[in-house]
Every structure is written in structure tokens, then in C-alpha cells.
Amino acid sequence: MRAGELWTIARRDLNGRFRGLRLLFICLFLGVATLAAIGSLTTAITKELTDRGQEILGGDIEVALSQRLITDEEHAALEELGTVSDTVRMRAMAQLPADSIAQRKSASGNDDIGTVRVLAELKGVDQAYPLYGQLVLADGKSSNGPASADQIFVGEGLVDRLNVKLGDRLRFGTAEFTITGILAEEPDRIGEGFTLGPVALVSIAGLERTGLVQPGSLYEAKYRIRTSANADLQTMVASLESAFPIAGFEIKSRDQGAPGTTRFIERLGQFLGLVGLTALLVAGIGVGNGVASYLAGKRSAIATLKVLGAHSRDITAIYLMQIATVGSAAIFIGVALGAFVPSIIIGLAGDILPVQPGFSIFPIPLLTSALYGVLIAVIFAVPPLARARHIPAAGLFRGLVDAGRGAGWRIYLVSALAFLGIFALVIITARDPLFSGGFLITSLAILLILAVLGWLIRWISRILPRSRQPLVRLAIAGLHRPGAQTGALVVALGLGLTLFVMLAAIQTSLSNEITRSVPERAPNLFALDIPVDQETILRDRIAQIDPQAEINTVPALRGTIISYANTRVADLEELPEGAWFLNGDRGLTYSQDLPQGSEIAAGEWWAEQYDGPPLVSVDAQMAQVLNLELGDTLIVSVLGREISATISSFRQVNWETLGFNYTMVFSPNALADAPHSLAATVSLSESGNGKLERQISGIILELFPSSTVVEVSEIITEVRTILQQMAAAISIAASITILSGLAVLIGAIAAARQSRIYDSVILKTLGATRRQILLVQAMEYGLLSLVLAGVAMALGLTASWYVMTQIFEFGFVPDWTIVLLTLFGGAGLTLIIGLVGSWPVLSAKPAQALRHL
């Protein structure tokens, strides 16, 4: 036949019974739309971050310093490159003045008037700020910052927590400020990174009034430079690094405005994209089942065409046109929806996302998702079509009981090449090819395990002794009879139950980690910037109120890793995977004794009163990431001075205690002479006593106005919120795969419907009732669910253990009751879906069905 004739037959036949290919459409649409939406959203956010690099960074070049201000010589060098804006940022306590507290108590008639002090991010800016973008206030006006040294702009979070308004006064350190503006938009907010509290903005002169910037205080100074549009930024950065090699500068250019945020978005997008691809692979099984079911319903039509003289290639062309038409429509609509969904997500997410990109079409992720859809269709839709074309007309008429021959090695070769195309596309487009390849291989391994299990179930059910109970015998026979969809059902049920177990274990483990483990071991208060010579006073005053309180103090410094194991960080083209501690400055300390919450994993701790060459003890995970060995040299920059130390030991750090744990702990002789302050943890005798916590916090701030006090309960609340959001994100991502698994389940039921109708008709003819037929199918699905429950428990717990211990680095403490209830609830749900899908089988009338057999 000619192509036009073939298309006419294909079009007319497709118009007559499109519903047979609905599963093909749904599966491809679901997978392609998910991939297109994830790719478009990730690209939109990362592009927006890149385009707004100057505004996010605050300049074309940024020079950051920790615990010190820039010298006149260094500032003059920056001014030679362009306009310079100075900013200083630190954590500090925002407090209501004493008279404001008294007025509130008098007005309310109650001593407990709520929050009177809040941890905030205090930021001092000069008159040149901001170099790019606009500082926008709540009234819609733009500003360069507070006009005088006694004025302050505050964020809405600070307004809400302290219940203040314009004209009210706040105290930071030893200075009081009048609120003259409420911040609505801070242009460089994203570039500032993670914060523990709302922002407060003062002038540089106002920051000096607070007395918070002292030798040893924990603060960060940033100097932004605005240059000409065609300036060679890389040359400028290189000149600064060569001119001040030991100044401790951390230098960024505008293309690195928010490297941490960009890297996180890219990795999250890669992870979600892989989850979406896994869902598409699972949906591919549904595609195969849908095509097989559709062609099964076309047996008589195919046989008729062959009897009338149609060749196998004509049959292939007709139904390939139909499959290609429906598949193309599914892919096109999926791509179109994926292009528009990011705008909806961005609108709904609001301030959760770091930026608010406008609507735009990104061809690469859309084309990539479409190509994935085409390859999946080739892998799973072509084999059942090939099997149908090879069956002779007589075989097609008896196809309900004759499985026929396979698709042929050429078709399987095409499918294998298509899969290799998917794998190559994953590797080419991945930011981390090794991780992406491993993720895809692991997903395929799980699917392969389930497929092999399906084959084993069929084989075992075939060799089992026949039961004397007819219904039991029929249920077991249904697992291996011709046309049985046991393999597809095992994959669908097994995958769904595995994901149910994994999600339940992760969510309950995250919850238990916070609500049970952390509060039992965590201190009540953190106090920062305590003067070294005032430690005794601090202990005495706290002991007067709570004699049983435990106080732990450690020296607190900040420093930047310059070199490790003879490798200079500045020479690295890309940081090693997981080497977050090489980004910017990190907390440092020194100690004579092994810190609490740490244990030696390798090497030895220095001897008491050690006075030899400087030594350092390194976190074992940091050592693994950087491939460090005992005896290697580590160089850090502290206050512009490079300090070289030999690695003497590796420590296993228990970060979950929320105590003072540092990746690097030096011997006392390495850092004791550097200006620094103390950080303290306070564990009260009455845990959870908010009034006592506020009393101790007030005393610390009364003694040391420049210090910062953090209530651990606030941190735990923030951590719990973050972990709940992580769990929700994992649930949403996994739900895509669960939906695909349900589509596979429905497809398997649809593919087996004709065979089950045949069985049902024969049984009804022999006198079986609907109840007995339904009971047989319930027993069949029940046996599968029972077998798969154990497999799903093992696979789901293994996956959740890996996520909790290796990715989150938490303990694995799931709630076994909830996990088991979720497992059996999921099994019950799939059983119900299976029985509902079998209802058309029960409704088949023997006389009508026999006329179509």
C-alpha cells in the first residue's frame, strides 16, 4: 500500500477507538511534562541569578574580609579599580530600650510582655550603597540607607517579632536607634547568604556607635566595586590577589553573585530531573502495556487486514502511525504544559524562591524532555507492535490463548540503542555525570530486581503443587497462565510499595531526629562575643540564678583555608564535591583537650602543654572530601595572617548535639595570641523553662552589650521547618514516580483484560459466580502484595537509610508503626485499584463475550 492509503486507514481506525491508546498518552504526557517543567524552572532561576549578578553581588567585584576592616592601603587599591561601597555585617541582638519595656508593662499590667529581644543581622552601609539595584522601603520609596547615625531601617520580620513601628526605638550594643524605615527589598539580599534573623540596616557611623565591632568580634566586611561595563574582571581579580597574597581576601566577580544558591538550584534541578526521568522510565512500562492492550483489542482488525492481503510492513506502518500520532500529541502537550508550569510555580511559591524570574521559553530543557519522551516510546512501544506484525492471521484469531513469537532481535537492538541514547543524554546534560549515571543505574537496578522477582513468582507458581481448593488453585494459576501480566504487576506494585515505605521512613526519621534526639542533648543558649577576660564574671552571675547550669566556653575565631596538602585553593578550577568549607571563612578554635561531642578517628591528640610546631585536628568527613592524610599541611588565613599547621588527627564529630563543633581545632599555641572572643553554651537545670532562659539571656546582654545570645529553641524550630520542607519536597518528587507506578498498574490490568474476560466467561459458563471470580482475583493480587511487602520493606528501608545517613548525615530512627501501617495501607490501596480495574471483567456477559472470542 501507498503511504496515503496507510494513513487513511490509520486515521479512520484511530478516530473510531482512540480510547485504547489513552494509557500511552497519559504516561508520555505525565513524564514529559514533569521533565519539561523541572528543566524550565531550573533554567529560569539560574538564568535570573546570572542576569542579576551585579545586583545580587552588590557590585562587579566584591572583596570580603572576616573579623577585620580593610586598611587604607588596601582601600586605595580598590578605589583605583572603580567606585567602592563599604558594608559590614554581623549577628547582633535587637532589644527594646528599658523605658519602652517599662511602658509596655505598665500598659498591659503584666510583667510578661512577650519578646523584647531578637537575634538580627545588623548591617552597616555607606552612602555609596547600593551600587546596583535599589533599596526599597515599605512605602515604595527607594533609599541609600539611614541618613544619620541614630536612624535604622528594619525588616518586616523584626517589626513582627518585636511589635514595633516607625518612630519606635531599638538598641543594638550600647547605641539606640530610631526606626525611620521598614525594608521591603534589599538588592543584595541573596548574595548575603543564610541568615538566622531578620535584617536591620544602619550607617557605618551608626554601627560604630554600637561598640560591637571590636578585635575578636565575629563580623564580615564586604567592599563592592563598580567598574566600567567592558572591564576585564578576571585581570582585576588577579591583580588584587597578587598585590595582597596574604590579606585573606575572598574575591568574587559579578558572574558569581550567589554561587551557593546557584549550585543548590542546579543540584536540586538535577536531582528532580533524575526523579522525573525515573518516573518516565516507569511510565514507559505503562506505555508498553497500553500499546499491548490496544493491539490486543485490534487482533480481529489486524487479522482481517492480513486476510485481505496486507503485508506485515503495512500492519506495522498503520499502527506505528497511530502510536506516533498519539505519542507526538502527548509529548507536544507535555512540553507545552512544562513550559508554562514554571510561571505558575513561581507565582505560587512567592518568597520561597530566591528570585522571581519572568515568563520565558527555554528551548534546551523542552527539547531534551521531548527527546526523552521519543526514546521512551521507542523502547517500550515498538516491541509489542513488532510482536503483533509477526503473528499470522490464524494466530491472531486465537491470540487470546497463544502468546506468539517474540519481537525479534532487531527490535530489541533498537530498544537497546534507544536506552543507550537516554543514558548518553543524561551524562551529557548532567552537572555531575558520575552522580547522574549512578542514580540512573540504581533506578534501573531496582526495576530489574522487580522484573526478575516477577519472573521468579511466575516460575514458582507454575511448579507449586496444585491446591485442593479450586479458588486457591485458580488464583495461583492466574499468576503464570498465558497472557498473565505478573511481571508488570510486580514492577508496579513493588515500586509503589517501596516508595511508600521510603517516604514513611524518611519523614518519621526526620521528625524523630529533631523531636527526640536533638533536644535531649542540646544546650539552652548560645552566647557569642564574650570577652576572654570576662569568663569568670559570666559563670558567677549565671550561677547566682541557676547553680546547676552547665557552661561550656570555647575560643571563637574566623579564618579562610588558603592551602591544603600543598594545594592552593585559589589555583583550583572547581572545588571538590562536598568541599563547602573551602567557600569563604569558617569558624576556628583552639583547645587543649578533645572537644565534647568529638572522638578521635585516626591519629593522636596533642599532649598537655604542647609547645611544638602548630598542629590541627580535622573533621573526618572534611579529610575524606579533600583526600587528606595525617602529616599533611593545612594553611589558614586569620586576620590577614597565614598560619600553617600539621594535621595530627581526624575527628568524628557529632554535629547533632547543637554544641560547639568545629571542622578544624588547632593546638593552643597556633591561635592563642590572635585577637578573639569566647563563645559559650549554657545548659540550664530546667530544660524548656522559657522564663529562666529569658532571664539568663538578659543578664548576659546586661554584662556584655556587644555579645549575641541565641535561644536554641528558636534554632530547633528553624531546623524543624527546614527538614519538614525537605521531607515535603522529597514526597512531591517521589509522588511523580508513584503516579507513574499507578499508571503501570492500570496498564497491566488493561493489558490483561481480554485474557481475564476469556477466563471469566469460561468460569461463568461452568457455573462460577461473580463473587467467586472476584475472590479469585482478590487472592491473586493479595498473594502478590504479600510477597512484595517484604521486598518493598527491604528496598524502601535501604533507600531511606541511605538518604538519612549518607545525604542528610542524620541518625536513622523511623517510626516502625507508621512505616508498617503505610506499607499495608499502600498494599490495600493497590489491591482496591486492581479490583476496581477488574470490574469490566466481572460485567462481561458470556453470550456477548463468546461472540467476540
Side-chain angles (χ1 to χ4, degrees), residues 668-679:
N669 62 327
L671 298 176
D673 293 336
H676 64 276
S677 60
L678 296 178

Side-chain angles (χ1 to χ4, degrees), residues 238-523:
S239 66
L240 287 175
E241 291 175 341
S242 61
F244 305 100
I246 61 173
F249 287 173
E250 181 188 352
I251 306 177
K252 296 179 184 177
S253 57
R254 62 188 173 218
D255 56 349
Q256 302 169 315
T261 303
T262 303
R263 184 167 55 253
F264 173 77
I265 294 297
E266 289 177 345
R267 289 181 178 178
L268 180 62
Q270 179 182 348
F271 172 74
L272 293 179
L274 290 171
V275 171
L277 179 58
T278 303
L280 186 57
L281 286 171
V282 175
I285 302 173
V287 168
N289 290 335
V291 172
S293 177
Y294 177 71
L295 294 175
K298 293 291 184 179
R299 285 192 180 99
S300 58
I302 296 174
T304 301
L305 288 171
K306 284 201 170 187
V307 169
L308 294 176
H311 296 288
S312 294
R313 63 176 178 273
D314 296 331
I315 301 297
T316 301
I318 289 171
Y319 290 99
L320 184 60
M321 286 178 180
Q322 293 183 354
I323 293 170
T325 300
V326 175
S328 298
I331 292 172
F332 177 80
I333 297 175
V335 167
L337 180 64
F340 286 94
V341 162
S343 297
I344 300 174
I345 295 175
I346 291 169
L348 294 175
D351 294 335
I352 295 177
L353 296 176
V355 291
Q356 297 286 314
F359 174 75
S360 184
I361 299 294
F362 300 99
I364 293 180
L366 299 180
L367 291 174
T368 302
S369 59
L371 183 56
Y372 277 129
V374 171
L375 293 173
I376 288 294
V378 170
I379 293 173
F380 292 98
V382 172
L385 178 60
R387 284 193 292 269
R389 73 184 290 266
H390 285 305
I391 301 176
L396 284 165
F397 282 122
R398 63 174 183 269
L400 289 176
V401 294
D402 186 1
R405 51 187 286 194
W409 67 269
R410 291 182 179 87
I411 298 300
Y412 291 123
L413 178 61
V414 171
S415 295
L417 291 175
F419 171 74
L420 290 177
I422 288 178
F423 192 84
L425 193 59
V426 169
I427 299 301
I428 292 172
T429 58
R431 184 181 183 276
D432 184 352
L434 185 62
F435 172 77
S436 299
F439 185 96
L440 186 58
I441 290 173
T442 301
S443 301
L444 290 173
I446 292 175
L447 295 177
L448 181 61
I449 290 172
L450 293 174
V452 171
L453 180 62
W455 178 85
L456 285 174
I457 290 175
R458 295 192 63 168
W459 179 73
I460 293 173
S461 63
R462 186 181 297 115
I463 65 173
L464 281 176
R466 292 192 174 188
S467 172
R468 294 183 179 181
Q469 297 293 327
L471 297 183
V472 175
R473 185 166 65 248
L474 286 173
I476 295 176
L479 296 174
H480 64 81
R481 60 176 172 73
Q485 294 293 311
T486 303
L489 287 172
V490 167
V491 171
L493 288 172
L495 186 66
L497 294 179
T498 297
L499 290 173
F500 283 139
V501 170
M502 184 189 75
L503 292 176
I506 289 176
Q507 289 179 329
T508 57
S509 193
L510 284 172
S511 177
N512 289 339
E513 186 67 23
I514 296 300
T515 59
R516 298 181 185 178
S517 302
V518 173
E520 293 177 358
R521 301 191 297 265

Side-chain angles (χ1 to χ4, degrees), residues 193 289 424 491 601 605 714 813:
N289 290 335
V491 171
W605 196 258
E714 294 184 1
V813 285

Side-chain angles (χ1 to χ4, degrees), residues 66-67 89-92 212-220 528-529 556-558 585-588 662 676-679 706 708:
S66 179
Q67 288 187 279
R89 178 169 168 262
M90 65 191 312
R91 293 184 178 92
L212 296 174
V213 179
Q214 300 177 0
S217 298
L218 299 178
Y219 63 89
E220 186 177 30
L528 307 176
D529 291 331
L557 302 93
R558 304 288 291 182
D585 61 303
R586 296 293 152 203
L588 308 175
Y662 289 82
H676 64 276
S677 60
L678 296 178
S706 62
T708 301

Side-chain angles (χ1 to χ4, degrees), residues 55-182:
E55 181 179 331
I56 291 172
L57 186 66
D60 296 300
I61 297 176
E62 178 189 86
V63 177
L65 287 168
S66 179
Q67 288 187 279
R68 80 173 182 93
L69 301 175
I70 203 167
T71 65
D72 292 340
E73 179 187 359
E74 293 166 342
H75 203 283
L78 301 187
E79 291 175 340
E80 292 179 1
L81 303 179
T83 304
V84 180
S85 172
D86 302 356
T87 65
V88 179
R89 178 169 168 262
M90 65 191 312
R91 293 184 178 92
M93 298 301 296
Q95 304 178 74
L96 294 177
D99 57 346
S100 297
I101 296 175
Q103 289 175 6
R104 290 192 180 187
K105 288 182 178 180
S106 175
S108 65
N110 189 349
D111 287 342
D112 190 1
I113 59 173
T115 304
V116 297
R117 61 182 67 88
V118 171
L119 179 65
E121 295 284 332
L122 183 62
K123 183 175 179 179
V125 300
D126 63 4
Q127 290 301 310
Y129 175 87
L131 295 177
Y132 291 100
Q134 290 185 331
L135 183 69
V136 181
L137 301 179
D139 58 7
K141 297 180 180 179
S142 60
S143 173
N144 292 99
S148 64
D150 60 352
Q151 295 180 351
I152 189 170
F153 293 168
V154 297
E156 292 181 354
L158 200 58
V159 171
D160 294 337
R161 297 182 66 180
L162 288 178
N163 191 23
V164 292
K165 60 184 182 303
L166 291 175
D168 287 348
R169 290 177 298 119
L170 288 179
R171 181 161 65 90
F172 279 92
T174 58
E176 290 188 7
F177 300 88
T178 300
I179 300 175
T180 57
I182 297 175

Side-chain angles (χ1 to χ4, degrees), residues 123 145 150 188 196 375 544 616 637 646 702 720 764 784:
K123 183 175 179 179
D150 60 352
D188 56 343
L196 278 177
L375 293 173
Q544 292 176 7
V616 63
S637 175
T646 302
E702 179 185 341
R720 182 181 289 111
K764 283 183 177 182
L784 280 178

